[in-house]
Amino acid sequence: MSYPPPQGPGYPPYGAPPQGYPQQSGYGQPPPHQYPPQGHSPYPQQPSGYPPPASALYGAPQYGVPPPAPYGSHQPQQYPPPGAPYGAAPAGYPPQPPHAQATYGQPPHQPYGASPGQYPPPQQPPQSQYHAGAPHHGHPTPPSPGYVMGQTAPGDATREAEVLYKAMKGFGTDEAALIRVLSKPDPLQMALIRRTFDHRYGKRLDAWVESETSGYFKDGLVALVRGPLEQDVHNVTRALDGLGTKETLLNDVVLSRSNADLNAIKQEFYRVKRRPLEDAVRKDLSMKTERMFAMVMAAQRAEESAPVISQQTDQDVTALHRATEGQVGADQLTEFSGHMEDALLMIVRGGMDRAMRDAMLLEEAMKGAGTKDDLLVNRIVRYHWDRNHMNQVKGAYRHRYGKELASRIRGETRGDYEKLMLACIE
């Protein structure tokens, strides 16, 4: 089932069901005394057979489902509809105890790409002085695939490592081979490829790719090789280093991660930079924006399994209505401006419809004079880790803008950079 193109000037406002679409539960306006059910998507099921994502947070969808055989068996690549709860080992993976390779606060048994003992055990970062007012509710959501250091898919990635080596050795680079091998693995498969390459050839794959490619094509390939956790830490470091804060990049990392993924980011940031992420953010932000980020980074928001308490919901809505003089809505946060407004809009839109928010973020990276290529690369690579969510984003983009995301990308990119971005969204 595909989406019809959006209507003309009379197209309904964001968050409301368009004319001609069947009314869907929870879309645009929740029932009284109840939040919309987490994970409900307004978009019809995609032709590929993927069901709607199971949650409104990145930490919840099921993705990275490998082929039935162990990675490296080289059977035809398939992505069956995910069926396991988010955070569980994907189908075909042997069961792993929680945090089997690396418990937060401890180094992995075998650091990726290094001999045992190369990294000193990181100290536990100091606790933030900020705490969200409410305690945890519901069972903690496990980290997303790629957010447990040292965890990889089972199987053999020797052939992939050899293809990558041949693509980069000697004179010239086989860009098509790099795109073919690096654009499709899930986070755990990518970690296996990277570890296999590092151990086999004695050089970090990301460093070699960086030395053999250039431009935004290079940025995209390196982001893929790093995987979601290392790329998040890289981006938040870039956002905070130097003069001024790269606010949009900071928003992209901090404001759309689950509690478990935020804790993983904080732990890895501390291992790399030897200081708490909270301190680094506090130094770069001020006043209300600093306090809001501190509360988010405390990673104490209600979990996906938290029950909806109608009385508390009513109290929260009333308090928010009073605080903003009734001007509450995804595009009506008129009481705020600048970074604070952008951050709140990102949170509100994500809570209403995560796929639509991410489709809008992709369009924002491409619209106007000149493409914001850095944001486009990071957002496409980010969304591609969750194939189910990427399908929903493409549907949301078609629904809102009346065109295919692939067509829009072709108009804004060129060469190998274009080919890599298109391969990531397929």
Side-chain angles (χ1 to χ4, degrees), residues 2 22 132 177 179 184 240 282 298 303 312 324-325 338 341 418:
S2 59
I179 294 172
K184 300 308 178 188
L240 298 172
R282 188 180 305 119
E303 298 287 353
Q312 183 62 52
T324 57
E325 298 182 359
E341 179 183 13
E418 173 191 339

Side-chain angles (χ1 to χ4, degrees), residues 288-415:
K288 293 180 180 178
T289 309
E290 175 203 337
R291 293 196 294 274
M292 185 192 71
F293 270 79
M295 287 188 288
V296 172
M297 289 189 298
Q300 294 181 355
R301 291 170 293 176
E303 298 287 353
E304 293 301 302
S305 58
V308 175
I309 303 173
S310 298
Q311 183 179 4
Q312 183 62 52
T313 301
D314 291 341
Q315 293 174 357
D316 290 344
V317 170
T318 300
L320 184 60
H321 189 274
R322 290 174 177 171
T324 57
E325 298 182 359
Q327 300 298 313
V328 179
D331 299 293
Q332 297 176 321
L333 293 172
T334 57
E335 299 298 309
F336 306 97
S337 61
H339 187 195
M340 185 70 170
E341 179 183 13
D342 293 341
L344 288 171
L345 280 171
M346 187 168 188
I347 293 172
V348 171
R349 287 171 175 164
M352 293 173 63
D353 186 338
R354 188 171 67 99
M356 180 62 78
R357 178 201 64 188
D358 292 347
M360 294 171 69
L361 288 174
L362 289 176
E363 175 62 21
E364 287 175 8
M366 294 184 282
K367 71 180 181 181
T371 303
K372 303 175 184 67
D373 296 280
D374 182 52
L375 290 177
L376 182 63
V377 168
N378 276 289
R379 286 169 178 172
I380 287 180
V381 170
R382 174 68 192 175
Y383 306 153
H384 112 288
W385 292 122
D386 181 346
R387 295 290 179 176
N388 184 30
H389 180 60
M390 177 58 83
N391 280 338
Q392 293 294 318
V393 171
K394 289 191 291 184
Y397 190 92
R398 184 188 313 117
H399 181 75
R400 184 171 181 85
Y401 299 107
K403 63 181 70 175
E404 296 295 332
L405 178 60
S407 175
R408 185 75 166 98
I409 291 173
R410 288 190 188 97
E412 297 295 327
T413 57
R414 296 291 183 272

Side-chain angles (χ1 to χ4, degrees), residues 100-299:
Q101 266 79 5
T103 302
Y104 298 133
Q106 299 177 0
H109 297 310
Q110 172 82 10
Y112 161 71
S115 301
Q118 180 173 340
Y119 295 118
Q123 301 175 6
Q124 183 71 21
Q127 296 296 318
S128 169
Q129 62 176 309
Y130 296 96
H131 299 281
H136 281 293
H137 295 290
H139 298 292
T141 303
S144 304
Y147 281 82
V148 176
M149 289 297 294
Q151 189 177 38
T152 68
D156 182 6
T158 300
R159 191 177 77 169
E160 286 78 3
E162 290 175 348
V163 171
L164 293 171
Y165 176 75
K166 291 176 183 178
M168 294 185 286
K169 75 172 184 177
F171 294 101
T173 302
D174 186 349
E175 289 86 359
L178 295 179
I179 294 172
R180 185 174 65 253
V181 175
L182 296 177
S183 64
K184 300 308 178 188
D186 67 32
L188 300 186
Q189 292 169 349
M190 183 64 77
L192 177 64
I193 293 172
R194 185 171 71 167
R195 185 177 69 179
T196 301
F197 186 97
D198 291 4
H199 289 176
R200 188 175 181 85
Y201 300 107
K203 184 174 182 178
R204 287 183 62 98
L205 176 57
D206 54 348
W208 202 334
V209 169
E210 192 166 11
S211 68
E212 294 293 328
T213 56
S214 61
Y216 295 112
F217 177 57
K218 174 196 71 176
D219 293 345
L221 290 175
V222 173
L224 290 167
V225 172
R226 286 183 179 133
L229 174 57
E230 189 173 329
Q231 184 66 10
D232 277 353
V233 173
H234 172 77
N235 281 335
V236 79
T237 300
R238 285 198 304 135
L240 298 172
D241 281 353
L243 296 175
T245 305
K246 299 175 182 66
E247 296 167 349
T248 304
L249 196 57
L250 185 65
N251 291 353
D252 278 7
V253 175
V254 174
L255 301 181
S256 59
R257 302 296 184 267
S258 68
N259 290 337
D261 292 353
L262 270 176
N263 284 327
I265 292 168
K266 291 191 295 182
Q267 185 67 48
E268 181 62 8
F269 183 90
Y270 186 82
R271 187 189 72 80
V272 173
K273 305 297 289 187
R274 312 309 298 179
R275 61 170 176 160
L277 177 59
E278 295 91 332
D279 289 355
V281 170
R282 188 180 305 119
K283 179 182 176 182
D284 273 50
L285 302 180
S286 60
M287 301 179 66
K288 293 180 180 178
T289 309
E290 175 203 337
R291 293 196 294 274
M292 185 192 71
F293 270 79
M295 287 188 288
V296 172
M297 289 189 298

